[in-house]
Structure formats: structure tokens, C-alpha cells
Amino acid sequence: MTTTQPPEIGQIVEAIRTRRRFVIASHARPDGDSIGSQLAMAYALRDLGKDVHVVNQDAAPPPIMPFPGVSDIRIANQVDDEVDAAIIMECGDLSRTGVAGLERFFVVNIDHHPGNTGYGQINWFDGSAAACAEMVFDLIRALGVRLSVEIATHIYMAILTDTGSFHYSSISPRTFAICRETLEAGVDPVWVSRSVF
């Protein structure tokens, strides 16, 4: 799958490579795409030797709890850690996280929903993405991280849930190409679907 890489990906790759400690957050009342995008990114950063904490205001929905790494997400209203950067997934505004303290850091804003306020030091918006996880997939590829079964499972789950089981008009050939790669990496689509639905 070959696509033209947006300039923001290069900026984010550079920001990640030059920093060590990260916090990853998403919107309050997280859904499959927010959780899947966060954890896919967290696994990728750890593969690069980074120190990563995933923090949300609210717990994941019960059907998503069995997925790898979900039980390690910290539920908090504030971040007191000293980190080098915050990566925020699919939040139109930083306040939507419900987590205070994120504004103290270098913020990377990754979103596919219209209306994003561009609150980060790096703002990557792609309205053509069916799920934020499609963007995360491209970023992980740009970082040179191997698509492990954990990363692939979270990307597949995120896309499955955010497209309404491939029912919504936002899906594209890119969506299915990414899903094919996740299955080749070892995703069990039957287990994912039964767990989520």
C-alpha cells in the first residue's frame, strides 16, 4: 500500500524520536477507536524504547476490557507526571479529554473529525480517514515499527467499531488495505467481533 505521506507525519516522527517520555490521552467516555488508537500507539512507542503512560478520564467500555493493555490504562482527571510530550487522539479540543495538566506538555494532536481547534504544537487532521486508527497505522509505519499482533489487534478493533462494522460511508480502499495487513499480522477477526459485539 503506497500513499503520499502528509508533512505532519514527518514532524510527528521527529518529535517522537527526539523525546523519551510520553502520555497518550483521548476523549472522555472513550470508544473503540480512541482506545484502539491509544494502545496501538503505546505499543509502538514502547517498541522504540519509550516510556509511555495511557491516561483517560473514563474507563473503556466493558466489551473492550479483554483487549491487550486495556487494564493498564490509568483512569485520572489530572496528569502530574513529568513527560516530554502528550499525544492526543481524536479530540476536537484539549478540554474534551477531561484530563487536566496536558497543556503543560508538547502536544501532538491527531484527529479525523471536522471541527478540530488545532490546539497542539503539531496538528494532524485527516478527514478522509475512516478511523483515527488509520492515521495511527500510517504513523507506526513511518516510525518503522513492526506491526505486532497487539498493535494490529487494536488497529483492527478501532476501525471495526468506528465504521460500524464497515457500514459507514467513510470507509475506503485504504480501510480494507489496512485491515488486510492487520490480519496478515495475526489478528483474529472473529474474536475481535465477538468481543466487541
Side-chain angles (χ1 to χ4, degrees):
M1 187 172 60
T2 58
T3 57
T4 303
Q5 182 173 290
E8 294 88 351
I9 289 185
Q11 296 167 16
I12 297 170
V13 167
E14 177 66 16
I16 288 171
R17 294 212 180 277
T18 56
R19 291 167 174 82
R20 189 178 66 81
R21 298 168 301 172
F22 296 85
V23 62
I24 303 176
S26 187
H27 57 76
R29 296 182 303 282
D31 56 16
D33 189 24
S34 57
I35 295 290
S37 295
Q38 286 178 281
L39 287 172
M41 195 74 243
Y43 276 105
L45 291 176
R46 289 179 186 132
D47 189 77
L48 293 170
K50 308 296 184 179
D51 181 30
V52 186
H53 301 284
V54 180
V55 179
N56 284 332
Q57 181 188 50
D58 302 306
I64 295 173
M65 290 304 296
F67 284 78
V70 174
S71 61
D72 297 327
I73 296 174
R74 188 191 317 161
I75 308 305
N77 293 320
Q78 183 164 330
V79 173
D80 296 316
D81 312 31
E82 285 306 319
V83 300
D84 302 316
I87 300 176
I88 314 299
M89 302 290 184
E90 62 161 23
C91 272
D93 188 273
L94 195 57
S95 63
R96 273 202 72 209
T97 64
V99 179
L102 295 168
E103 71 284 347
R104 298 184 294 124
F105 311 123
F106 183 94
V107 172
V108 177
N109 166 21
I110 300 174
D111 194 11
H112 71 122
H113 295 291
N116 191 287
T117 58
Y119 52 83
Q121 278 71 43
I122 301 175
N123 299 289
W124 180 24
F125 172 75
D126 182 357
S128 72
C132 187
E134 289 191 5
M135 303 170 70
V136 171
F137 175 88
D138 291 342
L139 179 55
I140 288 170
R141 279 287 192 239
L143 285 165
V145 173
R146 180 184 65 87
L147 197 63
S148 67
V149 68
E150 292 86 4
I151 292 172
T153 295
H154 280 294
I155 289 172
Y156 183 85
M157 180 270 288
I159 291 173
L160 179 74
T161 56
D162 227 39
T163 60
S165 297
F166 308 104
H167 281 79
Y168 301 156
S169 61
S170 58
I171 61 173
S172 68
R174 167 190 182 188
T175 305
F176 290 108
I178 291 171
C179 288
R180 190 195 87 197
E181 289 202 41
T182 65
L183 265 62
E184 290 172 347
V187 169
D188 180 347
V190 175
W191 178 84
V192 173
S193 294
R194 285 178 177 168
S195 297
V196 169
F197 299 113

